[in-house]
Amino acid sequence: MSVQPARRLDGEPDNRPHGSPGEPHAGPGGPTGPGGEPARGPRHPKTPPRLPAVVMALLRKELLVELRTLESVPGMALFSLSTFVVFHFALNRSSVEGDLAAGILLVTLLFAGMLGINRLFVADEEQGGFDALLLAPVDRSAMLIAKAAAMTIYLVVLEIVAVPAFGLLLLGSSLGNALPDLIGVLALVDVGLAVIGTFVAALAVKTRARDLIGPLIALPLLVPIAIGASRACAPLLSSGPHTGSGVRWLLLIGLYDLVFGLIAYAVFDFLLED
Amino acid sequence: MPRVPPALKLDRVVRRYGEREALAGVSLELAQGQTLGVLGSNGAGKTTLLRLLATLLSPHAGGVEVLGASLPSQAWAVRGRIGLLAHEPLLYRELTARENLTFHARLHGVGPRRVEEVLEAVGMTMRAAEPVRTLSRGMVQRVAVARAVLHDPELLLLDEPRANLDPAAAELVEPLIGAESGRTRVIVSHDPRGGVAEADLVLGLRGGRTALLAPAEQVRQEDVMELYR
């Protein structure tokens, strides 16, 4: 079979200069082959794929690989469930609430998130995903966005399992009334954890001790999020009437997410460079 | 007639790993459409040279020009114009051949029809829905060839391109990566005879240094064998 010229992603015929072995083509700039005969001309896409398309391609790949391997999310969920069981027996009390409940929930989610963060770039490092991205005419920040989005999805799935389990195993009061506000707080935590985690995972994956380096760098960076989220969650997890406003803590987490998101976006390219 | 820039131009290129020089002062020029055969024993610097030309590594000294773009400062200008077939197939083991190629196609702005074309060209249409981890090494190599040429690159960087391929498969991929593809090629080979036969220009490396650089027709077999002693 003869191999036809490439078509563009949108299905339109590719109007790049091209040729088959029998149709040598000299493109703009006129490259010529040995002996002066025309060689194949430049065929690179005139319009490289746009950022959203690349992000979607990377995200789709990420989720497909996770669905096939189940390397991250099940481990994260099982870790959080086991931790709640350990707390249930170690605290030797029938239930927790307020600050203690918020602390247990948030710290467990952060540590469970670490498991996912440690695995985030492993397939890319071991199977050439970094090289594939570096060889493509795309904005490397797409990988940061796609990985952070994938990590956010993993965390949401984790919380769908972990939060009800936490309510059953440890929480004294019902989660029902607090749930809408709690979802808001956890959404901000997820974004922060995903962005910082992706950034740190990209830093750590090239090192030999990546499983150690990742948490060692990420946990101190996540302290402000842990503080803000615990303060915002504590009133929600109390048995009494909710007192005080968690809005300022939510603003703090939101601001921290934003600042770290911008820093990560600005320097991510350099992390992937040689 | 305006002067045509060479496809590759290396000027005293140095690349180190720690204290060790993997490439030490390599210089050469390769015209558009020609084939450079790179020979040398293990650790001679062949793979480093290939990764450097692919923009995956930066030189520590000297100048590198690929397709008229100076590296690493203008690497963005040649990304998407290079096809790399390395030791690693750059394929996700858990994804199918088709999913892998579709992923790479999206990174290069290439449509799905092209994916089917290259799958057919390497004879993998029937196995395209199977995860790469279940394929034989030869089949993985065929999918890797399809990935390398998916975006119709001007420059092919090939590291042992026919490794794991049986004669029939090697013949199958010939129009894509062989001389008849019309592309500028750099071929790393451990086959001294075949490596020279396929090349227009032969570069022999020993310990990261140029031990041999000559047009293929001037290269004697004993010069090549000397590289491996």
Side-chain angles (χ1 to χ4, degrees):
Chain A
M1 149 189 186
S2 67
V3 179
Q4 298 303 309
R7 291 180 78 85
R8 281 173 23 202
L9 194 59
D10 56 13
E12 289 299 311
D14 195 340
N15 56 4
R16 291 179 279 156
H18 56 256
S20 64
E23 298 172 328
H25 182 101
T32 56
E37 75 274 24
R40 293 165 66 106
R43 301 144 185 254
H44 54 101
K46 283 175 178 163
T47 52
R50 291 183 179 167
L51 185 67
V54 178
V55 169
M56 286 311 295
L58 287 163
L59 180 59
R60 187 172 182 278
K61 180 270 299 174
E62 202 66 33
L63 298 178
L64 265 178
V65 170
E66 174 59 20
L67 272 174
R68 303 262 164 85
T69 60
L70 296 175
E71 278 185 348
S72 295
V73 178
M76 292 159 69
L78 280 173
F79 173 84
S80 61
L81 294 180
S82 334
T83 307
F84 293 144
V85 171
V86 170
F87 270 120
H88 179 76
F89 291 109
L91 291 173
N92 197 23
R93 50 204 286 186
S94 58
S95 65
V96 293
E97 61 177 326
D99 288 339
L100 183 58
I104 290 171
L105 177 63
L106 264 301
V107 169
T108 302
L109 291 178
L110 285 188
F111 280 119
M114 282 298 140
L115 298 181
I117 288 167
N118 274 345
R119 300 291 313 163
L120 206 51
F121 285 98
V122 171
D124 302 287
E125 175 68 8
E126 291 176 353
Q127 297 169 43
F130 280 124
D131 286 353
L133 187 79
L134 293 177
L135 285 165
V138 299
D139 183 346
R140 285 91 177 276
S141 309
M143 187 174 248
L144 169 73
I145 300 168
K147 290 280 182 185
M151 189 66 208
T152 305
I153 293 168
Y154 299 166
L155 289 168
V156 169
V157 175
L158 163 71
E159 284 153 6
I160 289 171
V161 176
V163 172
F166 171 73
L168 281 172
L169 285 168
L170 287 164
L171 197 61
S173 56
S174 162
L175 263 176
N177 293 337
L179 207 52
D181 291 341
L182 190 61
I183 288 171
V185 178
L186 291 180
L188 284 174
V189 170
D190 291 349
V191 172
L193 184 52
V195 170
I196 292 171
T198 304
F199 178 60
V200 169
L203 264 174
V205 74
K206 301 276 185 189
T207 65
R208 279 184 205 157
R210 62 185 171 216
D211 290 343
L212 180 66
I213 300 282
L216 280 180
I217 301 174
L219 285 172
L221 295 175
L222 289 166
V223 166
I225 290 180
I227 294 172
S230 299
R231 298 285 193 278
C233 281
L236 304 175
L237 302 177
S238 299
S239 53
H242 298 176
T243 54
S245 167
V247 173
R248 66 190 168 115
W249 294 111
L250 294 183
L251 286 174
L252 173 81
I253 303 171
L255 186 64
Y256 196 72
D257 288 357
L258 181 67
V259 168
F260 243 96
L262 291 174
I263 292 172
Y265 188 79
V267 303
F268 194 75
D269 261 21
F270 300 103
L271 293 185
L272 299 187
E273 290 287 350
D274 166 41
Chain B
M1 190 172 161
R3 184 180 175 275
V4 178
L8 301 178
K9 186 177 176 185
L10 276 66
D11 182 19
R12 288 165 289 171
V13 172
V14 176
R15 170 70 203 195
R16 299 184 199 91
Y17 294 113
E19 293 294 304
R20 190 176 68 82
E21 283 188 337
L23 288 177
V26 175
S27 301
L28 63 86
E29 268 194 37
L30 184 73
Q32 306 257 6
Q34 287 202 328
T35 298
L36 172 69
V38 184
L39 302 172
S41 56
N42 295 332
K46 306 183 298 293
T47 300
T48 299
L49 176 67
L50 223 55
R51 290 183 65 81
L52 212 131
L53 296 174
T55 76
L56 298 174
L57 291 177
S58 300
H60 287 131
V64 181
E65 278 183 30
V66 174
L67 301 174
S70 176
L71 302 185
S73 59
Q74 296 176 321
W76 52 268
V78 289
R79 285 179 182 139
R81 298 166 66 188
I82 298 170
L84 174 67
L85 183 61
H87 278 303
E88 295 298 322
L90 307 192
L91 301 169
Y92 288 94
R93 287 191 287 270
E94 298 302 324
L95 302 187
T96 66
R98 184 176 283 115
E99 285 167 346
N100 266 295
L101 293 181
T102 302
F103 168 64
H104 285 275
R106 286 177 172 147
L107 291 187
H108 287 273
V110 173
R113 196 172 298 179
R114 173 69 176 169
V115 170
E116 298 305 321
E117 283 170 7
V118 291
L119 275 171
E120 195 174 342
V122 298
M124 286 298 295
T125 305
M126 300 294 283
R127 308 290 298 269
E130 296 176 27
V132 165
R133 71 178 154 73
T134 65
L135 300 177
S136 70
R137 295 173 92 177
M139 287 178 176
V140 170
Q141 184 71 358
R142 278 149 71 180
V143 180
V145 168
R147 176 198 52 72
V149 301
L150 183 64
H151 54 293
D152 212 1
E154 293 164 62
L155 170 64
L156 274 178
L157 304 174
L158 308 168
D159 197 345
E160 289 287 332
R162 293 169 189 88
N164 304 315
L165 295 180
D166 59 38
E171 199 175 317
L172 202 60
V173 301
E174 196 58 20
L176 301 174
I177 59 170
E180 60 183 284
S181 71
R183 306 171 207 272
T184 305
R185 299 181 303 157
V186 177
I187 303 178
V188 167
S189 177
H190 287 295
D191 170 15
R193 216 177 290 271
V196 174
E198 205 168 0
D200 297 300
L201 182 68
V202 175
L203 170 68
L205 291 172
R206 191 190 292 132
R209 297 179 189 280
T210 305
L212 170 68
L213 181 64
E217 63 271 16
Q218 294 174 16
V219 174
R220 296 174 307 161
Q221 199 59 31
E222 52 264 37
D223 297 335
V224 175
M225 296 316 295
E226 190 64 29
L227 294 170
Y228 298 91
R229 291 200 180 106

